[in-house]
Amino acid sequence: MRIGNWLGGSVIWALAATTSMAAGARTAEHVTTVALGASLVGQSGDHHYGVYVPTRFGGELKVTTTDGRVADLKGPNGAPKINGQEIGFDQQGWYTFKIEGARKPYTIETSFVQVGQSTKKPWNFYYWPTKADSIHEPWAQGNARVDTMQLNGDDRLIATPGGYIPPGVDIVLAGDNGMLETLPAPGDDATWFPNLYDDLTWVGPDKEHGGQITRFQTPSPLLKYDQLFNTSARQWEAAFSQNKDISRWPGHCLGGAVASILLNEPVPAPGSGMTKDELKALWAELGENHYNHRIGDYANEIPPGPPHRGYDACDWKAPRVHAMLEAHIRGERKPLLANLRAFPPRGTINEVWNHGVYKYIATYKAIPNRGERAVNIAVELHANSGSMLNGQDDKDRVVTYEYNLVYGLDGRVDETNPMAADWISVGGEATFAPLNVLELVESRWGGHNQQVTEAIVRSIDLANGGFNRGRLAGSPPIFQPVALYEAGRGRMIADGDDGLRQSPRFGGFLRSFFGR
């Protein structure tokens, strides 16, 4: 249907466009417009109304009244619609309805909510940071002094003994073997984070029991992999993939996110001795090389903001982002790959957190005095967790965005005039606008650590090509700690440029997609 003349909030509705009228007949009926997602107060008597839905990707249109009943809801082609239910695709345009049987003044309210959800939900994973364990000044109740002065193994002292040090700052870093071998002196603290190159156990303070030194069992994906397949993947990873600065965020979230989108959730062969998390870690290593991923449609190079009401650098990217959500998650039911950037409250602009985005809930409201195709959209975005280990943090990362957009007559976001958009806010578990939202078309499985291969990892993954047969069907081996298994082996020494890896953080066209 098309709208005729605007008359002070009412319209002349051409009923000849409806299927209820005979061909060629032309009569007119008074129809009052109700803005999408808004209220109209002080109404009385039986009356016809119209509301405009701008998107071709469908959603649930609901009309409510405080008195009487909603009747005769029809879509743009005159077909009957069920109030409060899905309108379907390619149904953008004007909807008419009637309020009848009201005995007192009433208020009409309309709402429109669009839910997009992919057929496959990406599984949760852990990002496996590249920084090894460290000794540092306590984050709270420290003495602001470097107390640890004696080192073990190839650990490195990077602070002045006895000198001043701020809370949380590193004092001792692990050496090229990737393992923290020094115990913290009283006054200092040590923190363990799971790494790909961890040993079977870690010795450090137990913060839940007064800081006493305790031996903890740890996941050890590459150490177990080496002993199963006679490789030196753990040594390679420790020597060549460690970041030696204070940042804990760099890790394997790209590989984990890609694997979670493209693969079944891993099931380790019992005879491998691997846990599900350790097997996910191997896939994260195989997926971490961004040169192996082919990207189709994308929203990219989005300024971090954070966006705010009124003009800012994020505004012109809002139409592209929402077009990606509608076209792929809602339209094709495919998950998307996105760098949602840092978490609040202390996240920084340069942090990269890749996720599989699989669901969004968008609530639409017409923008006053901008025409029926200009809408405000509040989006609740659901992505998988990149910090789940041992079943903890097994929940979505939920981010909220709000922006103003304009739709074209074809029911798609109008991207030809991005300056008409306003990215208003970001919230939930995000501090900045995302760096990108990407359609993942294809991947080859090959990480930077060339000793970890797709064929071997698939062989121990019963959900992605493996078979529970041979030695994998028997009892798992008794794994040895690093000190025993690697005794007598030549140590790989990182010289800062091993010549083997192409960092996923630098170089080439794909850097603009993945950002690190």
Side-chain angles (χ1 to χ4, degrees), residues 486-499:
E486 296 181 2
R489 293 181 175 227
R491 178 176 295 180
M492 297 181 181
I493 303 298
D495 60 6
D497 183 10
D498 54 87

Side-chain angles (χ1 to χ4, degrees), residues 399-423:
V399 174
T400 60
Y401 302 128
E402 182 184 358
Y403 32 65
N404 293 341
L405 303 173
V406 178
Y407 276 83
L409 288 171
D410 62 355
R412 297 180 184 272
V413 175
D414 184 0
E415 299 184 54
T416 64
N417 187 17
M419 297 307 292
D422 182 8
W423 197 323

Side-chain angles (χ1 to χ4, degrees), residues 428-452:
E429 295 179 86
T431 303
F432 306 101
L435 175 67
N436 52 43
V437 181
L438 311 172
E439 178 194 15
L440 186 60
V441 175
E442 181 183 26
S443 287
R444 298 189 307 271
W445 299 104
H448 303 290
N449 190 333
Q450 298 177 11
Q451 298 192 47
V452 180

Side-chain angles (χ1 to χ4, degrees), residues 45-120:
D46 292 358
H47 200 67
H48 287 84
Y49 298 88
V51 60
Y52 191 87
V53 173
T55 173
R56 68 169 295 270
F57 289 95
E60 293 185 1
L61 175 63
K62 186 176 183 179
V63 181
T64 59
T65 178
T66 57
D67 195 42
R69 68 183 188 91
V70 179
D72 202 24
L73 178 64
K74 294 180 180 179
N77 60 0
K81 297 291 182 179
I82 300 176
N83 187 23
Q85 294 192 11
E86 175 67 44
I87 63 173
F89 281 57
D90 295 311
Q91 297 294 306
Q92 71 275 11
W94 287 97
Y95 286 71
T96 59
F97 59 92
K98 184 179 181 181
I99 301 298
E100 59 185 21
R103 298 184 177 182
K104 58 184 178 180
Y106 56 87
T107 297
I108 302 168
E109 186 171 352
T110 68
S111 66
F112 186 76
V113 178
Q114 181 188 84
V115 178
Q117 185 163 345
S118 63
T119 302
K120 179 184 185 298

Side-chain angles (χ1 to χ4, degrees), residues 28-50:
E29 185 174 290
H30 187 75
V31 176
T32 301
T33 60
V34 185
L36 190 67
S39 301
L40 195 61
V41 302
Q43 301 300 296
S44 61
D46 292 358
H47 200 67
H48 287 84
Y49 298 88

Side-chain angles (χ1 to χ4, degrees), residues 87-348:
I87 63 173
F89 281 57
D90 295 311
Q91 297 294 306
Q92 71 275 11
W94 287 97
Y95 286 71
T96 59
F97 59 92
K98 184 179 181 181
I99 301 298
E100 59 185 21
R103 298 184 177 182
K104 58 184 178 180
Y106 56 87
T107 297
I108 302 168
E109 186 171 352
T110 68
S111 66
F112 186 76
V113 178
Q114 181 188 84
V115 178
Q117 185 163 345
S118 63
T119 302
K120 179 184 185 298
K121 180 181 178 180
W123 34 266
N124 292 334
F125 62 95
Y126 184 70
Y127 76 105
W128 300 97
T130 52
K131 182 175 179 178
D133 309 327
S134 66
I135 294 175
H136 56 88
E137 179 67 8
W139 283 101
Q141 300 179 339
N143 58 14
R145 185 181 67 244
V146 175
D147 298 295
T148 303
M149 306 179 190
Q150 299 297 319
L151 301 179
N152 292 330
D154 66 348
D155 291 350
R156 297 189 300 133
L157 181 65
I158 62 169
T160 303
Y164 167 77
I165 190 165
V169 173
D170 284 333
I171 297 170
V172 177
L173 297 178
D176 291 332
N177 68 2
M179 296 181 297
L180 182 66
E181 299 168 276
T182 303
L183 293 176
D188 295 336
D189 199 359
T191 300
W192 169 77
F193 276 79
N195 298 107
L196 291 179
Y197 43 83
D198 270 334
D199 203 348
L200 296 175
T201 58
W202 178 75
V203 178
D206 185 349
K207 297 180 177 62
E208 294 184 0
H209 298 88
Q212 63 186 12
I213 298 301
T214 305
R215 182 177 296 273
F216 299 91
Q217 188 174 11
T218 70
S220 310
L222 290 183
L223 179 61
K224 291 182 178 180
Y225 178 90
D226 284 343
Q227 293 178 52
L228 287 169
F229 302 106
N230 194 30
T231 57
S232 297
R234 193 210 72 83
Q235 277 192 298
W236 192 98
E237 195 76 18
F240 299 127
S241 287
Q242 280 193 71
N243 67 294
K244 301 295 181 72
D245 61 20
I246 195 170
S247 297
R248 281 264 176 217
W249 64 263
H252 293 77
C253 67
L254 172 60
V258 170
S260 74
I261 291 171
L262 296 179
L263 299 173
N264 299 320
E265 186 162 16
V267 176
S272 70
M274 288 273 181
T275 67
K276 179 176 290 191
D277 288 323
E278 290 169 334
L279 189 51
K280 288 181 179 181
L282 298 181
W283 281 116
E285 169 60 42
L286 286 170
E288 188 60 25
N289 188 339
H290 68 239
Y291 290 99
N292 288 332
H293 308 310
R294 184 162 67 90
I295 302 302
D297 196 11
Y298 60 88
N300 196 34
E301 300 287 5
I302 303 169
H308 56 77
R309 189 176 297 276
Y311 174 77
D312 60 66
C314 299
D315 292 345
W316 70 291
K317 288 292 188 177
R320 182 87 280 267
V321 168
H322 197 72
M324 288 288 296
L325 300 182
E326 282 199 312
H328 300 293
I329 299 181
R330 171 74 179 183
E332 300 173 344
R333 303 199 68 187
K334 290 168 50 177
L336 295 172
L337 175 66
N339 171 7
L340 300 181
R341 284 192 165 116
F343 290 79
R346 292 187 296 272
T348 58

